[in-house]
Amino acid sequence: MRWNNIKWNIDVIGKTKVWFTISGIIILAGLIALFTIGLNWGLDFTGGTVIEFNMHKPVTIAVNNEITNILKSNGVKDSQVKAIGPNNTHVSITTPSLDDKTRTAVINAIESKYKLTVKDLVSSQNVSASIGKEMQFGTILASAVAALLMLIYIGFRFNFEMGAAAVLALIHDILIMISAYALLRIVVDTPFVAAILTVFGYSINDTIVIFDRIRDNIKLMRKASYKEIANVSVNETMTRSINTVMTVLLMLSLMYFFGPASIKDFALPLLIGITSGAYSSIFIASPLWVIFKDKEGKNSVGNKVGNRPQKA
Amino acid sequence: MMKSRGLAKFLSVIVLAIIVAYVAFYGVNAGNYSIKPVQDSIRLGLDLKGGVYVLEQAQGNVSQDAMTRAISIIRNRVDALGVSQPLIVQQGPNRIRIEIPGVNDPDQVISYLGQTAQLKFIGPDGKVILTGADVKDSKAVYQTDQTGVQEPVVTLDLNSKGAKAFADATAKFVGKQIAIVLDDKTISAPVVQEQIPDGKAVINGMKDFDEAKNLANLIRGGALPVTLKQVEYSSVGATLGPSALKASEEAGMYGLLIVLLFMIAFYRLPGLIADIALGIYILINFIVYALLHVTLDLPGIAGMLLSIGMAVDANIIIFERMKEEMRAGKSIRASLDAGFRKAFVAVFDSNITTLIAAFVLFFMGAGTVKGFALTLIIGVISSMFTAITVSRFLLKSIVETEFTKNIRVYGA
């Protein structure tokens, strides 16, 4: 057997409990983090001002305190001053949303104190609190609309058991992603919405490929149990699942490791979400489908658990 | 016969793709017909070239007319900065989005934009005759001149104080120019033809109606400025942008290279075909970006790179199906047909769900997310074409040449 022609034979369905436990632990840890330390909300949602300077020398605690004092003398009491960037030579200053006059005063004071020019102002950003509120609302609305549309599509393409399994797998992925945001302290900004919705689409996409194969195999394997059908289908599509997730993950990891800073916060949650999406299609959605089908078998007359299926 | 025809089909697609690529990236100049290289038509986002983005919100209840005037004034001011490719658009009922690339000092720009417009009429002696406060109204209209030709003109309607000052000035300066100055920039300098006693003047000599409309907007804007407040802004320094572009270009190139090599190593001949299809896919993407004048920012690049991964997915699904058919003993040609046919539903369904997510993001998402959604939409749609249609055509042509019956060449 050559490396590009591996015949997979994993008893995925037989180890259902193992998969559910793994996911359960991650989600539980994430939820604990979510309810104790909460999410790391970014500027886009909270509103505020961020200013980044290149100081050309490591930002020491003394410098940090000096900058905090400059802010205080300009009437900005609430601030966060952080050393960032290459060798901590950049300083990032986060405050509540400042008006143009205060911000200009602060920037000028820092520039004159450390003999910096406007070229050393790497970036600055301001989002007023009202825009932040709008963003929060818009995000929730967009996610709800996308979820609804996809549910309609699933309902249209799949029967009930498959649809329910796909949706639960989707909820699983979203929970894993939110856990990742909470545990890894990733900033929740506008890319958060994009990452969540992309994972939405990708996860369903992955589940569809496997369920499509299950549908084919139900017709071919007339004597087999649901468990066998699911196992065969998952293994038949395993190479595809791995190759696809590998290529997408490859693109994302390169974005994460080589890409600019602003892309990192976007690539990391996508990396986690898409891995989770591929995992959940195989290890969550497929076992769930078997569970639902077997339940249905128990309830309907003359059809025992693990018996040959009547319809898809 | 069949054999040579297959080869001819295959080569014709390759040659066509190379010609299109050449035209797209180098442009053509043939007589008065020319095509610009795509990289010149694709706008880079501020996060990639540095610059200032400001969202201004008008205070209180403002009419659409006041907004239009405010935008004219801002455009006038931005143009005075002499920057290339500024973007000034209305967003929602009372907001103006301003993007100015390549500006070094963001705060200077913001304070400059936020100023209340200063409109002055200045006589040839350098003295101010009247200010924007004296202008009641100004409109662009068509007027019939002595020869019966319709010409676009700008009307001026002044209040009583302005009318008196203007009557005095126009009596004094007949035959001379009065400069209309907005924010220290002369926007018009009409010659006084006769005394204007009643405060109702007409400025003619407009190139077209648009010019008249623009001037009227500027004059009215000076008369009734809206109060703008900055509600959101971001500025990216001139060094950060280009370095971000370079980093993402590198990430994209390495990623693409590894994916291309992986496909050949894993799927052999079909992998090579998928790589060619991927090349055509990237070409189509850039052409569409240029045609739609897409602004390529960092999230946009992320969307593009992600869609490369998804484009490859379609080919992986198809080729895995093909291999299964070959191992089951079917001929290469039959496996190819079955592989594409059976995989189609899965590929189509999976792309639709991604499209649903991308469309929702595009229509409901905030500015930065829109770029991501747009490149993802373009990518998913064009990948369905290249991964299914183009790669099937190329693969069929190659199979027709019957140069080998060894299924290992097909990765099985």
Side-chain angles (χ1 to χ4, degrees), chain B residues 196-268:
Chain B
I196 295 161
D198 57 355
K200 292 199 192 310
V202 167
I203 306 169
N204 55 14
M206 298 290 126
K207 196 169 81 229
D208 51 29
F209 194 72
D210 278 343
E211 191 187 312
K213 210 162 71 183
N214 193 31
L215 182 60
N217 275 341
L218 291 175
I219 293 174
R220 261 185 306 158
L224 191 90
V226 293
T227 312
L228 291 174
K229 202 181 151 215
Q230 176 260 114
V231 283
E232 190 180 357
Y233 101 94
S234 78
S235 100
V236 174
T239 48
L240 186 64
S243 78
L245 178 63
K246 194 167 163 281
S248 31
E249 273 175 355
E250 269 172 16
M253 290 304 260
Y254 292 140
L256 188 62
L257 196 67
I258 298 173
V259 168
L260 292 177
L261 291 176
F262 168 79
M263 287 301 281
I264 293 179
F266 206 97
Y267 294 108
R268 310 291 153 87

Side-chain angles (χ1 to χ4, degrees), chain A residues 1-311:
Chain A
M1 192 166 294
R2 296 184 321 280
W3 71 282
N4 60 347
N5 270 301
I6 297 166
K7 198 162 164 44
W8 295 92
N9 196 7
I10 305 170
D11 182 15
V12 171
I13 310 299
K15 298 193 182 72
T16 299
K17 276 183 190 153
V18 178
W19 319 130
F20 284 15
T21 311
I22 295 174
S23 292
I25 291 171
I26 300 173
I27 292 172
L28 192 68
L31 289 180
I32 291 171
L34 182 67
F35 287 111
T36 49
I37 42 180
L39 288 172
N40 185 9
W41 292 101
L43 203 66
D44 292 345
F45 291 105
T46 55
T49 300
V50 177
I51 300 166
E52 185 183 336
F53 271 111
N54 181 357
M55 306 292 280
H56 299 287
K57 57 176 186 191
V59 178
T60 56
I61 294 174
V63 173
N64 200 315
N65 288 338
E66 281 166 15
I67 292 176
T68 309
N69 285 333
I70 292 176
L71 288 163
K72 275 188 186 142
S73 64
N74 279 287
V76 185
K77 286 185 206 92
D78 190 9
S79 68
Q80 235 184 54
V81 182
K82 237 182 0 199
I84 57 163
N87 302 321
N88 284 341
T89 50
H90 287 208
V91 66
S92 161
I93 304 158
T94 310
T95 65
S97 182
L98 303 179
D99 59 45
D100 292 338
K101 226 168 98 192
T102 316
R103 191 187 59 249
T104 315
V106 167
I107 288 175
N108 288 341
I110 293 174
E111 281 177 356
S112 69
K113 165 122 191 163
Y114 298 102
K115 301 196 170 49
L116 302 171
T117 67
V118 72
K119 282 206 178 73
D120 302 312
L121 181 61
V122 181
S123 70
S124 68
Q125 200 192 347
N126 173 56
V127 178
S128 68
S130 60
I131 293 275
K133 283 252 160 53
E134 270 176 45
M135 282 294 235
Q136 281 182 1
F137 178 71
T139 300
I140 294 167
L141 195 66
S143 308
V145 169
L148 191 71
L149 287 176
M150 283 196 214
L151 283 181
I152 292 171
Y153 187 76
I154 295 170
F156 171 69
R157 291 295 306 174
F158 292 122
N159 51 40
F160 175 73
E161 291 85 8
M162 282 186 175
V167 170
L168 285 175
L170 198 60
I171 294 172
H172 164 271
D173 299 333
I174 301 304
L175 286 174
I176 294 269
M177 272 187 93
I178 293 176
S179 299
Y181 268 97
L183 288 171
L184 303 176
R185 310 307 301 149
I186 307 170
V187 178
V188 180
D189 255 333
T190 33
F192 171 76
V193 196
I196 292 267
L197 288 186
T198 306
V199 170
F200 251 59
Y202 183 86
S203 171
I204 292 194
N205 159 347
D206 247 13
T207 310
I208 286 173
V209 174
I210 295 174
F211 282 5
D212 185 59
R213 185 57 70 103
I214 289 181
R215 269 196 300 220
D216 279 1
N217 283 337
I218 284 173
K219 288 176 217 144
L220 297 174
M221 304 166 68
R222 293 239 161 239
K223 294 229 163 75
S225 68
Y226 293 122
K227 183 182 162 182
E228 281 161 1
I229 291 172
N231 258 341
V232 167
S233 305
V234 164
N235 280 296
E236 278 177 354
T237 51
M238 189 66 84
T239 306
R240 174 268 157 187
S241 300
I242 293 173
N243 284 358
T244 294
V245 82
M246 290 307 269
T247 48
V248 176
L249 290 188
L250 178 87
M251 290 315 269
L252 288 171
S253 356
L254 282 165
M255 275 193 249
Y256 181 74
F257 288 111
F258 290 95
S262 51
I263 280 291
K264 285 188 199 295
D265 274 352
F266 188 46
L268 183 62
L270 272 179
L271 211 61
I272 293 161
I274 283 183
T275 309
S276 166
Y279 171 86
S280 73
S281 305
I282 300 170
F283 300 101
I284 304 289
S286 305
L288 279 175
W289 177 77
V290 174
I291 292 171
F292 292 152
K293 270 298 188 188
D294 283 346
K295 269 242 168 66
E296 181 201 57
K298 246 182 215 161
N299 296 335
S300 63
V301 186
N303 209 354
K304 284 197 303 202
V305 176
N307 224 348
R308 60 179 269 223
Q310 299 292 307
K311 59 179 166 63

Side-chain angles (χ1 to χ4, degrees), chain B residues 64-77:
Chain B
Q64 182 52 45
D65 184 52
M67 288 301 286
T68 312
R69 276 179 283 157
I71 288 172
S72 291
I73 292 178
I74 288 179
R75 183 161 292 130
N76 188 50
R77 289 180 184 185

